[in-house]
């Protein structure tokens, strides 16, 4: 599930509270607004170009298209008649006010961890500060048997964890807070944890080594978030906590620039979290033991040596392969001969998780359509990568991508022209990348975004 195809991007916004009808105390409303950011409610509950929280986002699942619902406090179209207990049941048990089960496209298996206090603050925020919108989103209508919502009870019984968060004294307070945010509101596992035979996340918390071990999201690899230093040092295993904080805050750091569905997570959610909460998240991820290094895993020294060799060969520019020539002609000006780019301007593609992912879809997508990092309050300017789909054929992209995945310290597999053709065909229905401001207005950016159309 949770293949979120059409995700509105946010061009940075402050939380300004409007519409305080019944004068609940401001602190609770503000806390609820912050928690709604941490839970990224707006990303799923807003249709492209639609009103914030009014629902209607189509979410592709293996069972068909599921539409998010209107969670504004409108009494007919939204959740205006939900009591706090009903709201809590929807969030933590996936139970609608009329008793029907919600589809797990709503991340209640993660939100089950929420404390009563936080559910209360969210409820106050939604009821008192979100503007009611009287618009009915399209009904979800899955075919039989998936339209039988009672069937979800068995799934819940097997896979959903009803326990609320229990503090764990073996973590310091900040790291434990990070654990709460990651496992609970952040629902990071809904994209980063591999799924089992019934589309369930294989684990919902750090007690299992499957948790956050990396997963394929419609082809785009959501890398492992297990940051321990006991693996081969790739991905966030090689990042320090501050680098994780920078990535979540600004969408970039010395190792990577955000792409794919993570762009919306950064823009709508993590960039709005406090540095302290982000540090808690980072420390928690670093506390998770690394994925076991596979056979043939390389060491950092070996990868450095391979990097030097590729860079020297590109510089000498003699006897170049087709892939090497394509790289020099199209990519090296920005990502350089060593594939390491220039810090915070051009991300490294040497050692980069996207370049090395088992499934090359994300890399192909980036080469064809380009990419644009999100504007965040701390770094509003965005230097996009241009797309090369208009000038490179499927064969050329395949040859180039194969080179990139095997160059320097990388060890991804070869790419075929067929794979490129498939990704190229999917890019035509490029999503809108307009922003959502939960306070009501759509944020119109500078229009430059269309250069990167489909990057998301
Ligand atoms: C990953 C996508 C996603 C996120 C994130 C998400 N939701 Fe949902 N939510 C859904 C979908 C899809 C449904 C409708 C499911 C269905 O129809 O069975 C839903 C349903 C609901 C409902 C039931 C409403 C009704 O129709 O009666 C409530 C309440 C709700 N969500 C609140 C929230 C809140 C609060 C947050 C943030 C803390 C949130 N959701 C975050 C996808 C999401
Ligand atoms: C004009 C400069 C420029 C050129 C030329 C260029 N890129 Fe990029 N590239 C960027 C920028 C800027 C980004 C960061 C944008 C983003 O990811 O949102 C980027 C991002 C990437 C990423 C994603 C990295 C990550 O961390 O997610 C990959 C992979 C990549 N480029 C590969 C290539 C390849 C292969 C070529 C040659 C076809 C190429 N680039 C040409 C500037 C460039
Ligand atoms: C909607 C799906 C989704 C959710 C939810 C999500 N992620 Fe991601 N995440 C991705 C994808 C896809 C990528 C790969 C991005 C790329 O290729 O540039 C990614 C990349 C990352 C990376 C970079 C890893 C690397 O090796 O480059 C970090 C760190 C990260 N996510 C942290 C988080 C955290 C923390 C959360 C929860 C607060 C979270 N993500 C929730 C989809 C998601």
């Amino acid at each position: 599930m949770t293949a979120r195809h059409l995700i509105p991007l946010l061009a940075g916004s402050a939380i300004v509270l409007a519409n305080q009808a019944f004068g609940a105390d401001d602190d609770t409303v503000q806390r609820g607004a912050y928690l709604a950011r941490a839970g990224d409610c707006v990303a799923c509950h807003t249709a492209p170009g639609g009103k914030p929280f009014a629902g209607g986002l189509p979410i592709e699942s293996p069972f068909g298209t599921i539409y998010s619902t209107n969670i504004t406090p409108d009494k007919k179209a939204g959740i205006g008649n939900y009591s706090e207990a009903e709201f809590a049941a929807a969030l933590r048990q996936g139970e609608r006010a009329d008793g029907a089960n919600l589809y797990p496209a709503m991340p209640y298996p993660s939100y089950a961890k929420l404390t009563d206090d936080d559910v209360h603050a969210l409820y106050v925020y939604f009821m008192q500060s979100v503007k009611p919108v009287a618009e009915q989103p399209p009904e979800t209508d899955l075919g039989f048997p998936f339209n039988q919502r009672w069937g979800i009870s068995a799934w819940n019984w097997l896979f959903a964890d009803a326990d609320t968060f229990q503090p764990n004294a073996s973590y310091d307070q900040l790291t434990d807070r990070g654990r709460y945010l990651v496992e609970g509101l952040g629902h990071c596992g809904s994209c980063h944890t591999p799924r089992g035979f019934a589309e369930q996340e294989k684990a919902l918390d750090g007690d299992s080594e499957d948790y956050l071990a990396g997963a394929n999201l419609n082809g785009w690899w959501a890398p492992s978030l297990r940051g321990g230093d006991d693996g081969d040092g790739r991905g966030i295993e090689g990042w320090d906590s501050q680098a994780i904080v920078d990535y979540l805050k600004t969408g970039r750091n010395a190792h990577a620039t955000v792409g794919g569905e993570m762009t919306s997570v950064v823009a709508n959610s993590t960039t709005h979290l406090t540095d302290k909460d982000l540090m808690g998240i980072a420390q928690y991820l670093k506390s998770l033991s690394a994925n076991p290094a596979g056979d043939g895993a390389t060491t950092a020294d070996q990868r450095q040596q391979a990097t030097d060799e590729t860079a020297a060969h590109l510089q000498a520019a003699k006897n170049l392969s087709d892939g090497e020539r394509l790289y020099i002609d199209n990519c090296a000006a920005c990502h350089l001969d060593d594939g390491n780019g220039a810090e915070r301007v051009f991300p490294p593609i040497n050692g980069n998780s996207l370049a090395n992912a088992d499934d090359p879809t994300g890399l192909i997508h980036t080469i064809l359509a380009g990419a644009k990092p999100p504007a965040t309050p701390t770094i509003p300017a965005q230097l996009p990568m241009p797309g090369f789909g208009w000038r490179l054929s499927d064969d050329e992209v395949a040859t180039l991508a194969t080179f990139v995945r095997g160059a320097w310290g990388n060890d991804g597999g070869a790419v075929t022209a067929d794979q490129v053709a498939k990704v190229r065909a999917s890019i035509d229905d490029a999503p809108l990348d307009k922003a959502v401001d939960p306070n009501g207005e759509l944020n119109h950016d500078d229009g430059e975004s269309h250069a990167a159309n489909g990057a998301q």
Side-chain angles (χ1 to χ4, degrees):
M1 59 140 222
T2 66
R4 300 188 303 176
H5 282 323
L6 300 167
I7 288 181
L9 284 189
L10 175 93
S13 79
I15 292 179
V16 182
L17 299 165
N19 247 11
Q20 296 203 17
F22 333 89
D25 78 285
D26 276 9
D27 281 358
T28 309
V29 174
Q30 299 244 15
R31 212 162 60 78
Y34 182 82
L35 295 166
R37 285 299 203 183
D40 208 4
C41 321
V42 79
C44 282
H45 282 281
T46 308
K51 303 231 172 66
F53 302 118
L57 179 78
I59 299 176
E60 303 303 332
S61 83
F63 318 111
T65 303
I66 296 171
Y67 290 95
S68 64
T69 47
N70 181 331
I71 56 167
T72 73
D74 185 79
K75 292 213 182 286
K76 266 190 89 186
I79 59 169
N81 286 323
Y82 269 66
S83 67
E84 185 169 331
E86 287 164 343
F87 181 77
L91 247 59
R92 294 194 292 214
Q93 279 100 45
E95 196 180 304
R96 212 162 61 180
D98 65 2
N101 290 314
L102 293 171
Y103 292 112
M106 162 75 180
Y108 61 84
S110 303
Y111 294 161
K113 296 276 194 300
L114 286 178
T115 62
D116 292 346
D117 221 27
D118 283 356
V119 171
H120 173 69
L122 279 164
Y123 182 71
V124 169
Y125 166 66
F126 275 97
M127 292 301 158
Q128 304 196 6
S129 179
V130 169
K131 287 188 195 132
V133 179
E135 285 167 17
Q136 202 78 55
E139 289 269 331
T140 298
D141 187 10
L142 304 183
F144 185 82
F146 304 116
N147 56 358
Q148 305 295 301
R149 288 177 179 262
W150 55 266
I152 302 169
S153 304
W155 191 95
N156 286 341
W157 184 74
L158 285 168
F159 304 124
D161 183 347
D163 288 347
T164 49
F165 183 79
Q166 301 300 326
N168 180 340
S170 64
Y171 291 110
D172 64 64
Q173 221 180 351
L174 184 62
T175 310
D176 214 33
R177 162 86 179 155
R179 184 168 70 92
Y180 174 65
L181 290 169
V182 168
E183 292 179 359
L185 273 173
H187 63 282
C188 315
S190 71
C191 295
H192 288 274
T193 298
R195 288 181 183 267
F197 65 96
E199 288 298 316
Q200 83 280 14
E201 291 160 47
K202 281 189 172 168
L204 291 166
D205 56 45
D207 293 344
S208 157
E209 291 191 347
D210 285 329
Y211 185 61
L212 302 178
N216 196 322
L217 211 61
N218 280 343
W220 202 299
W221 184 242
S224 167
L225 297 182
R226 303 185 63 91
D229 55 13
D230 48 346
D232 63 4
R234 286 179 173 278
I236 75 160
E237 293 170 29
W239 303 11
D240 62 16
S241 297
Q242 187 58 46
I244 299 176
V245 172
D246 291 347
Y247 182 93
L248 296 173
K249 188 88 194 174
T250 69
R252 69 212 84 187
N253 63 20
H255 310 280
T257 304
V258 66
E261 296 198 18
M262 190 64 197
T263 314
S264 163
V265 177
V266 170
N268 284 315
S269 177
T270 56
T271 192
H272 301 283
L273 301 188
T274 62
D275 290 355
K276 200 168 161 214
D277 276 348
L278 292 176
M279 184 50 83
I281 289 175
Q283 289 182 7
Y284 172 58
L285 299 179
K286 291 302 287 178
S287 79
L288 298 171
S289 63
N291 285 345
D295 293 343
T298 50
T299 63
D301 283 349
Q302 288 166 322
R303 294 196 290 270
Q304 185 55 50
Q305 199 185 338
T307 297
D308 295 342
E309 280 163 18
T310 307
H313 199 236
L314 290 173
Q315 265 150 27
K318 272 193 207 124
N319 304 322
L320 294 176
S321 68
D322 289 346
E324 289 169 328
R325 201 167 317 113
L326 285 163
Y327 182 78
I328 290 177
D329 289 349
N330 295 290
C331 323
C334 297
H335 294 287
L336 306 188
D337 288 339
D338 59 7
N340 284 332
E343 190 164 336
R344 279 168 210 276
V345 188
F346 305 123
I349 54 180
N350 178 8
N352 183 279
S353 299
L354 178 70
N356 287 286
D358 282 351
D359 188 320
T361 300
L363 173 64
I364 298 169
H365 199 292
T366 304
I367 295 175
L368 290 174
K372 184 186 179 197
T376 57
T378 25
I379 305 192
Q382 349 176 26
L383 190 60
M385 162 166 156
F388 291 82
W390 62 278
R391 62 186 282 194
L392 299 179
S393 69
D394 292 350
D395 273 328
E396 288 171 321
V397 172
T399 305
L400 173 62
T402 300
F403 165 72
V404 165
R405 283 162 63 76
W408 315 291
N410 290 349
D411 62 0
V415 174
T416 66
D418 275 358
Q419 288 174 305
V420 178
K422 277 209 191 91
V423 179
R424 195 189 286 274
S426 77
I427 286 176
D428 292 339
D429 31 73
L432 295 169
D433 65 352
K434 283 286 176 242
V436 193
D437 176 340
N439 309 304
E441 302 311 318
L442 279 177
N443 251 319
H444 294 282
D445 65 14
D446 49 19
E448 202 190 299
S449 58
H450 295 287
N453 223 348
Q456 210 293 111

